[in-house]
Amino acid sequence: MNSSVTEFILFGLTQDAGKQKAIFAVLLMLYLATLLGNFLIVVTIKKSRTLESPMYFFLFYLSFADACFSTTTAPRLIVDALSQKKTISYNECMTQVFAAHFFGCMEIFVLILMAFDRYVAICKPLRYTTIMSHHVCRVLVILSWVGSCIHSSAQLFLALRLPFCGPNVIDHYFCDLQPLLKLACMDTYVINLLVVSNSGAICMVSFIILLISYVVILYSLRNHSAEGRRKALSTCTSHFIVVVLFFGPCIFIYTRPATTFPIDKMVAVFYTIGTPLLNPLIYTLRNAEVKNAMKKLWCS
């Protein structure tokens, strides 16, 4: 590290005192609802004997990643909304870069695993139990953890390469590569290309893979019964809604050159806080098995 800056000042979403109080109240409720919703899913899947299929095994890790991903940014944003000086140390900033990309990437990989699970269940039903065995599912999740660690380590390495010798006000509410690039005392063209080729490529390639998988699934449903098509479409629709809500903002942020727009922070709020809140709602409201398991577990 070649830097004279020991701490950064987070600009936050706004400097208006009245709006900051409203932001504090709204985001605190959203964050608590996110933790509660994902906690309910995690505990329900862990305790329920009716939710032991690979789909719910992956949903467990998706909810876990959602809760952790939201926790990397939401608590500081909530606290800073009532703070006069929104400072974050250099080490805390680098930790936030690593954690946000680790759990965000983990969510991407788990969504791919869930789509793969649905593909096998619908397109290769006779071989489903063999292909998606418990051992295979555990190995796939471990590979997702390893891949997420590699991605976030690469992002952290790029962040640590940036020298900061003057300006330390981050025009954002959390530390990420794009706002940090604006403060670096060097030509960031090459590093920005590396960021786009890393985060941007993961977002785009994963999104394309997911779209192709859903097209294949929909095409194969033509040979199923009306009831089979209805159940498969219900599950796949839930997955597809989550994919669009998560990947849309991510692609907007990470696949473009090093330019920032005023709307960037609101887009970031959506995929760091909004999507982790919506995921448990989508998967419970549209899934009768999860709703029944929750009723049995929590109402008893």
Side-chain angles (χ1 to χ4, degrees):
M1 178 189 66
N2 180 22
S3 176
S4 61
V5 173
T6 59
E7 67 177 19
F8 297 99
I9 299 173
L10 295 169
F11 188 84
L13 292 178
T14 179
Q15 294 294 298
D16 186 287
K19 291 181 179 179
Q20 285 183 343
K21 292 179 181 178
I23 288 171
F24 170 82
V26 172
L27 292 183
L28 178 61
M29 289 189 294
L30 292 179
Y31 177 59
L32 293 177
T34 298
L35 291 184
L36 177 62
N38 286 291
F39 172 78
L40 288 175
I41 289 181
V42 166
V43 175
T44 301
I45 293 174
K46 191 71 175 177
K47 297 291 184 180
S48 178
R49 294 183 178 180
T50 61
L51 303 179
E52 294 182 343
S53 67
M55 181 176 70
Y56 300 114
F57 178 78
F58 295 137
L59 179 58
F60 173 92
Y61 284 99
L62 179 66
S63 294
F64 174 78
D66 273 334
C68 294
F69 184 46
S70 182
T71 301
T72 60
T73 59
R76 175 168 289 276
L77 174 58
I78 292 167
V79 172
D80 285 348
L82 297 182
S83 303
Q84 293 295 324
K85 192 176 182 182
K86 306 173 178 61
T87 59
I88 182 172
S89 70
Y90 179 89
N91 290 335
E92 288 176 325
C93 184
M94 296 300 109
T95 301
Q96 194 174 52
V97 169
F98 179 88
H101 282 272
F102 179 82
F103 290 110
C105 189
M106 182 66 185
E107 185 166 349
I108 289 175
F109 289 153
V110 172
L111 287 171
I112 292 176
L113 294 181
M114 294 177 76
F116 176 69
D117 171 71
R118 290 301 85 200
Y119 164 77
V120 176
I122 294 170
C123 300
K124 301 181 183 297
L126 299 179
R127 298 178 58 196
Y128 178 73
T129 55
T130 303
I131 297 174
M132 301 303 294
S133 65
H134 290 299
H135 174 70
V136 170
C137 291
R138 285 194 292 270
V139 170
L140 290 175
V141 169
I142 291 172
L143 290 176
S144 297
W145 283 97
V146 173
S148 301
C149 188
I150 293 172
H151 163 72
S152 53
S153 297
Q155 296 295 98
L156 179 62
F157 175 77
L158 294 176
L160 291 172
R161 297 278 295 175
L162 297 174
F164 304 101
C165 52
N168 68 336
V169 179
I170 299 176
D171 187 15
H172 215 298
Y173 64 88
F174 74 100
C175 289
D176 201 2
L177 265 296
Q178 278 76 6
L180 286 174
L181 286 172
K182 295 182 67 176
L183 304 181
C185 306
M186 64 176 291
D187 183 0
T188 59
Y189 177 77
V190 174
I191 292 183
N192 181 68
L193 287 180
L194 293 174
V195 171
V196 172
S197 63
N198 187 351
S199 297
I202 287 177
C203 290
M204 280 301 301
V205 172
S206 300
F207 185 63
I208 291 171
I209 290 173
L210 288 167
L211 286 182
I212 292 174
S213 68
Y214 288 121
V215 169
V216 173
I217 289 171
L218 290 174
Y219 181 75
S220 66
L221 285 176
R222 73 192 192 284
N223 297 323
H224 287 63
S225 64
E227 179 63 18
R229 285 197 298 269
R230 187 192 63 79
K231 289 187 65 176
L233 284 173
S234 177
T235 303
C236 291
T237 300
S238 299
H239 293 186
F240 187 73
I241 291 172
V242 170
V243 166
V244 172
L245 291 177
F246 183 79
F247 279 93
C250 287
I251 291 173
F252 176 77
I253 294 292
Y254 292 109
T255 58
R256 66 170 197 252
T259 56
T260 57
F261 302 113
I263 197 175
D264 284 355
K265 286 185 280 188
M266 293 309 301
V267 172
V269 167
F270 188 79
Y271 76 81
T272 59
I273 299 175
T275 305
L277 171 64
L278 293 173
N279 282 358
L281 293 176
I282 291 169
Y283 279 109
T284 53
L285 294 178
R286 295 186 59 85
N287 192 306
E289 288 183 334
V290 175
K291 286 190 290 186
N292 292 334
M294 282 187 172
K295 289 177 182 177
K296 290 180 181 178
L297 179 64
W298 297 104
C299 294
S300 62

